Amino acid sequence: MNIIVCIKRVADTSEAEIVIQRGGQGLEEEDFAWGINEWDNFAVEAAVQLKEQHGGVVTAMTLGGEDDEEVLRRALAMGCDEAVHLCDEAFAGADAWGIAKALAAAVRGRSYDLLLCGAVSGDAGGGQVGGFLAGLLDLPLVALATCLEVGSGNGGTGGVARVRHEVESGLERVVEVDLPAVVTVQTGINEPRYVSIRGIRKVAGAEVQVLDGAALGLQAAELGSAGARVRLEELFLPPRGEGAEVLEGSDEEIVQRLVEMLHQRGGL
Amino acid sequence: MRTIMAIVEVVDETALELAHAARSLGEVHLTAAVFGAEDAGCAELARYFDRVVNFPLSPGAVFDAEHAAAALTPWLAAEQPFLILLSHTNNGLDLAPLLAARLDLPMLADCLELGLRDEQLTAVRTLYAGKVHARVVADAKGGALATLRPGAFDGDEAIDRGGRIETAAVPPGPPARRRLLETVAAEAGSVDITQAEILVAVGRGIEEQENLEIVQSLAAALDAEVACTRPIVDKNWLPKSRQVGTSGQSVSPKVYLAIGVSGSFQHLGGVKGKPFLVAINQDAAAPIFAVADVGVVGDLFDLVPLLEEKIRARKG
Amino acid sequence: MLALALATLVWVLWQRLALLRAAAPSPRWDHLGERLRRLLVIGFGQSRQPRYRVAGIVHILIFGGFLVLSLRSMTLIGEAFSAGYADLGSGYAAVKDWTGVVVLGACAVAAWRRVVVRPARYHDRHARSSHTPEALLILALICSLMLADAAYEGSALVLEGKGGGWRMPLASLLAWVFGAVQQTGGAEQPLLGGIHLAAFWIHNAVLLFFLCLLPLGKHFHVLSALPNVFFSKLEPSGKLKPPSHLEADFDALEVVGVSKLEDLGWKELLDVYSCTDCGRCSDHCPAYAAGTALSPRMLSIKMREAAYAHYPLRGKVVPPEQRPALVGETIGTAELWACTTCGACEEACPVMIEYVDKVVDMRRHLVDDGRLPASLQKPLAALEKRGNPYGKMARKRGDWVDGLAAEASANGNRAVGSDRSEGGDPAPCGKGVRILAPGDTAEVLYFTDSCAAFDPRIQRTAVAFAEILLHCGADVGTLGKDEVDSGHEARRFGEEGLFLALREQNLLAMEQRKFSRIVTSDPHALNALRHDYGVELPVLHHSQWIAESVASGELNMQGIDDGRTYTYHDPCYLGRHNGEYQAPRQILAAIPGLRSVEMERCAGRSFCCGGGSLSLFNEPECERRMGEIRLDMAAAAGAQVVVTACPFCLINLEDAIKTSGRDEHMEVVDLAELVAQSLAPQSAAMESESA
């Protein structure tokens, strides 16, 4: 059971003030804390758990700048066996399509039964990369997995996985999918293990394979912003409080007005 | 005239939103591709679409992204529409990127707004769970695909367009690589929040499990049910049956009190029927304030008990 | 028989010691003088026994009896080899006979308690079996030793035609019985001789059986407790065992934490052998009282059972991979995460068993293995990324000081939190709290730690303390955004690597600034700075600072007479772990009119409120929250206001007030707030002067 898990380093903006840079092309990142995308963390855990049950090799893969190696180290500390870093200045400004193309190029020729991705990312949140990969590699796709079990599988020569995944209206479906396949992982599928500082340090010396565009056989026009099919024109802050009447005053006054409003709206 | 194809999973509000978004791009010829719809469903769609193409499903089968992708890919490749539209639902996440890749089309995901500028498709979409908006653009000369956030667009108005209804032939293909085994409801709970008139929804802002008490106590004072966001269910603090959102229940209460809920679209996607929405949140930048009717920026641990007290006092 | 018995004993002990020989090192051969002192006071002196009055006295009597009679027992064995060996003179005979009476009496009381009184602590909620049968067997053996000796002596008295009189009450009593039997039954001399001989052999047989039995059960403590006391931990209890005694470089360690018995130090395994199953630890454990999975006693018992099972007397040692996992199976993870490291168990243990180090060592293993409660992952990640468990932005760490400055200027008081530039004139009555830039100097460094820096409720405590500092005219600075969490709790939750990283950052920030003392309002930070950081400068807790200032007359407090009764709750890391019980009480006593009472569990026996820092993110499953139980104790003492001196006690107890519906009639305050409040009229006067 060989698994490739695609991960991404994203910013945690939870406590940070969002400040858009002049020109609207980026955010002030000073206050951001960076780390593995939440969904990807569940995907790594799922991959490592499958390996622990069935044996095999788990390869973590990311596309990004030098700092992004951090999430690969973390994945190694969680139990991934190999790490591949798609790193090239020319990748800057890549859209989801560009990321998927580079990942697909890196995946081709490797032996794997499962390709796991987080279902979406905490930053762009389009949920596209997994589906793009399935399309580019001509593999079956199951999106938003909440449970994942595999029967057999030995490096791309067959076997099936049983995947439970979310569809509409709070329903879930259980499907059987031929391997190799792409599965995108929803949060809550497992309890990701903790990665201690020591755990990270222990893999500090582990080898990370670095591949640039040329190594992937990609042309300059396909890379980064040059190859992006979706271009960013401008970032802006969402219209705040649009429609929302923000109550002000002391807690006492606010709550009193709230009670009146609830009363008028039939909430009491 | 440009042709636009809307891929419709089920005949409901989201289909009308696709129609409305498509029409807003100008004079277009609009086709709905639907799976296993009954005659009445096709007829309903024909009121909004110029053409309805029904892909039959074998008896007992349901809409399935793998099956849909297999059927749609050759058909869309032959039709060569200017734009393909889908809803950004769970099924949409399962199907849209796969289609875009197979058809080699640019894709705009999870759009809040859609526009056309020369041969370019523009859209507004969100980053960081709604904290930042981005205007993006894709070259649509060779066609494009976009998924629309449910609820972000108005439904189309009922003008009977008398659309032509066709049945498509699903080409025989290799056996599906993905097979449906069963459909299961998310764990059933004892409560049915979908029927509640008043919901008190609690999100990550509650911080700890035992703090749920203050929310439960407020709900009791309001004769309301407690609902929650996905992270609360992920932590096993409340059962799945109380989760509102795209991966949980769809609710349509009269009053929706969101406490410590940031307002991700996945959550708000489950809030239907425009309730009176009150948000209490510490973070003034939380997206919930963009959709709430009334917002309070403050510490829920102070406000919620106080609110409960006042409500109980008023009720006597 | 003797040879066989002694050989058995030696063989059993040797087998038992096999595990200790396989264990990790424990450096416990230092400070032999102090160790000897402890052996005399706590071991032979039994100083920790009387904390439970009846049981303690009974134990002291039986222990004393053992000391007196062990001589007799040895000489009786000698008697078998050489007649007259047992005769140590009439003086000793009298003493040992009286001792026998006392021991028999004590045994009777002990048996009565076991069978009739049955104190709650004897039975552990988590125990699978009762140790009462073993206890009764041992009592029976002790009694039979006493009686056999008395029969031996008594029959001798009759045979020799002597009377023991009041000097030998037990022997005389039996002599009288034997005499009476002899007269009425017409029994002959040989029968008495038989009794004499039988008593002699019974005594010796029972004694040797008893000795061989000891290392098989809880009465191993008879042999191991004294060495256990001798080798007990001499460092302050707040000082944790390092991850390794052999390798100082944490990153170089191959194995971290304890995952099997052999990872424990030999002294820690001696602990396990020495547990008397008395239940005092669990009786004092707040987690046990709250109904969590933890019972410290069971940690020892379960480890001992595992030790006996895996290092059997007969057969081979069971290799670790064939045993149930020590951490996770033998000891449940829920037990380990329920510990607040308050140290009440260690304070209560009469034989100086150490628990906190073991718990932390097992947590270190769990953390290394990635098995951490999900609720702790986020705060630990935030500690790593942002230096505080709340995930707040590091650059806002000093903002409360700015808030202080803003408030002060609004009040027309320039002094509190005067601006951070060093160029400005110091305010007339002191400089207040400043944020120190690298290179800056202040007389005192206020180490705020995360809670006071970010929690709005605790910021109020910090502000109150800042007002007091100002009032004293102290020149105080903080590290501002360069401070990170002390890492105290991260370390105690087993995340040593994270602790080391945080310590490094703080030590660097301190190195860049000059000051001669450190003060903190958080006992956890105090303990970290003193014991985890090894800071050489004096580190004071704010209660100590305030008490000093009160003593020197710098603080003149107005009376607080609000008709309410106050009680002081000792924070574990101020009291038990750092020995400061007096300063807070002196402060309370110095506030005129303030009426204060003590709770039954106070000072060294204080009851933990539920734990600090990360414990707030990881509340164990329980029947009743520790904080609520503590409030019950305060209420029982008749107090309406609980005064504490730790931000986490404040948070936990305030929560408990809400959850137990006591909002109306109870309140918790920090000492600093109380003192600042009692200064209020004066500072108002100052303001009007300056106006």
Side-chain angles (χ1 to χ4, degrees), chain A residues 15 31 34 70 192 194 198, chain C residues 253 377 385-386 395 495:
Chain A
E15 291 285 339
D31 292 336
W34 295 83
E70 167 196 350
Y194 177 70
R198 181 179 127 86
Chain C
L253 292 177
Q377 296 212 12
K385 303 267 180 200
R386 290 184 154 152
R395 69 177 166 83
E495 191 19 323

Side-chain angles (χ1 to χ4, degrees), chain A residues 12-17 30-36 41 70 74 191-202, chain C residues 250-251 253-256 367-372 374 377 380 384-386 390-393 395-396 495 497-498 501:
Chain A
D12 170 11
T13 59
S14 55
E15 291 285 339
E17 281 164 33
E30 190 190 352
D31 292 336
F32 291 179
W34 295 83
I36 188 168
N41 195 31
E70 167 196 350
R74 194 175 187 285
E191 284 185 18
R193 66 199 64 194
Y194 177 70
V195 181
S196 66
I197 302 280
R198 181 179 127 86
I200 300 272
R201 291 212 188 120
K202 274 200 293 196
Chain C
F250 180 66
D251 288 333
L253 292 177
E254 292 215 353
V255 182
V256 168
V367 167
D368 207 45
D369 206 31
R371 288 186 283 164
L372 187 79
Q377 296 212 12
L380 284 173
E384 182 198 340
K385 303 267 180 200
R386 290 184 154 152
Y390 316 106
K392 300 281 181 192
M393 274 183 285
R395 69 177 166 83
K396 296 200 166 176
E495 191 19 323
L498 181 55

Side-chain angles (χ1 to χ4, degrees), chain C residues 148-179:
Chain C
D149 185 21
Y152 175 78
E153 288 282 2
S155 54
L157 287 176
V158 179
L159 286 173
E160 292 163 18
K162 288 196 287 197
W166 58 268
R167 288 164 57 90
M168 298 180 71
L170 200 56
S172 302
L173 179 71
L174 282 176
W176 177 78
V177 172
F178 293 147

Side-chain angles (χ1 to χ4, degrees), chain C residues 336-605:
Chain C
L336 296 174
W337 297 118
C339 175
T340 67
T341 72
C342 75
C345 49
E346 297 184 358
E347 181 78 21
C349 182
V351 296
M352 307 294 282
I353 292 174
E354 294 144 29
Y355 287 96
V356 175
D357 282 344
K358 290 193 190 86
V359 167
V360 170
D361 249 345
M362 287 189 272
R363 287 177 176 176
R364 282 173 179 155
H365 164 67
L366 284 171
V367 167
D368 207 45
D369 206 31
R371 288 186 283 164
L372 187 79
S375 60
L376 282 175
Q377 296 212 12
K378 210 176 140 193
L380 284 173
L383 276 175
E384 182 198 340
K385 303 267 180 200
R386 290 184 154 152
N388 67 80
Y390 316 106
K392 300 281 181 192
M393 274 183 285
R395 69 177 166 83
K396 296 200 166 176
R397 200 174 178 96
D399 282 8
W400 73 273
V401 180
D402 295 337
L404 205 60
E407 197 176 300
S409 65
N411 293 341
N413 185 343
R414 285 182 300 133
V416 181
S418 67
D419 62 18
R420 54 181 86 181
S421 73
E422 52 269 36
D425 285 338
C429 55
K431 292 175 183 166
V433 174
R434 300 174 284 146
I435 292 174
L436 302 176
D440 282 1
T441 302
E443 182 198 337
V444 182
L445 175 74
Y446 177 21
F447 190 92
T448 48
D449 218 345
S450 303
C451 193
F454 289 112
D455 185 312
R457 171 66 189 89
I458 305 306
Q459 280 176 353
R460 273 159 50 196
T461 304
V463 168
F465 182 48
E467 281 171 18
I468 297 168
L469 289 169
L470 168 75
H471 200 92
C472 301
D475 169 26
V476 184
T478 72
L479 299 173
K481 65 176 168 50
D482 289 348
E483 180 188 290
V484 292
D485 193 274
S486 67
H488 185 263
E489 293 303 293
R491 186 175 207 203
R492 277 152 188 81
F493 272 88
E495 191 19 323
E496 185 77 8
L498 181 55
F499 159 73
L500 291 172
L502 293 168
R503 178 172 75 174
E504 196 177 283
Q505 289 180 61
N506 277 327
L507 287 177
L508 176 69
M510 289 182 199
E511 221 168 81
Q512 291 167 337
R513 295 154 173 89
K514 287 194 191 69
F515 45 87
S516 53
R517 292 208 278 180
I518 306 176
V519 64
T520 177
S521 48
D522 180 349
H524 297 255
L526 174 84
N527 192 63
L529 292 166
R530 278 190 186 167
H531 301 313
D532 293 337
Y533 282 40
V535 171
E536 282 177 11
L537 295 175
V539 185
L540 294 181
H541 183 251
H542 73 331
S543 64
Q544 296 169 319
W545 174 286
I546 297 169
E548 267 181 28
S549 305
V550 168
S552 68
E554 281 172 277
L555 285 176
N556 271 318
M557 292 184 284
Q558 306 294 307
I560 291 182
D561 188 8
D562 53 8
R564 296 192 294 176
T565 304
Y566 290 68
T567 190
Y568 174 67
H569 162 75
D570 289 274
C572 310
Y573 275 94
L574 181 62
R576 220 154 20 227
H577 290 306
N578 282 285
E580 186 54 82
Y581 301 113
Q582 288 317 309
R585 290 180 167 79
Q586 286 161 1
I587 296 167
L588 288 186
I591 300 177
L594 184 126
R595 194 168 57 204
S596 81
V597 291
E598 287 286 2
M599 288 182 267
E600 195 193 329
R601 294 275 300 265
C602 64
R605 298 184 62 192

Side-chain angles (χ1 to χ4, degrees), chain B residues 189-295:
Chain B
S190 53
V191 290
D192 185 2
I193 58 168
T194 63
Q195 300 304 312
E197 296 244 303
I198 309 170
L199 283 173
V200 180
V202 56
R204 248 186 240 254
I206 198 71
E207 291 173 7
E208 283 175 66
Q209 185 170 14
E210 71 258 21
N211 296 340
L212 286 173
E213 279 170 31
I214 60 169
V215 175
Q216 281 158 341
S217 168
L218 172 65
L222 278 164
D223 289 322
E225 286 294 347
V226 173
C228 66
T229 61
R230 183 180 181 98
I232 302 293
V233 174
D234 282 349
K235 288 178 177 151
N236 279 323
W237 290 356
L238 286 173
K240 180 92 178 161
S241 58
R242 291 194 186 268
Q243 183 196 333
V244 171
T246 49
S247 60
Q249 308 281 343
S250 287
V251 296
S252 46
K254 274 192 197 163
V255 174
Y256 196 82
L257 204 54
I259 295 170
V261 174
S262 67
S264 73
F265 91 92
Q266 287 89 347
H267 177 69
L268 294 173
V271 185
K272 310 280 186 194
K274 300 215 181 301
F276 178 61
L277 207 163
V278 179
I280 299 178
N281 203 303
Q282 187 123 35
D283 181 1
I288 189 85
F289 290 118
V291 295
D293 296 292
V294 175

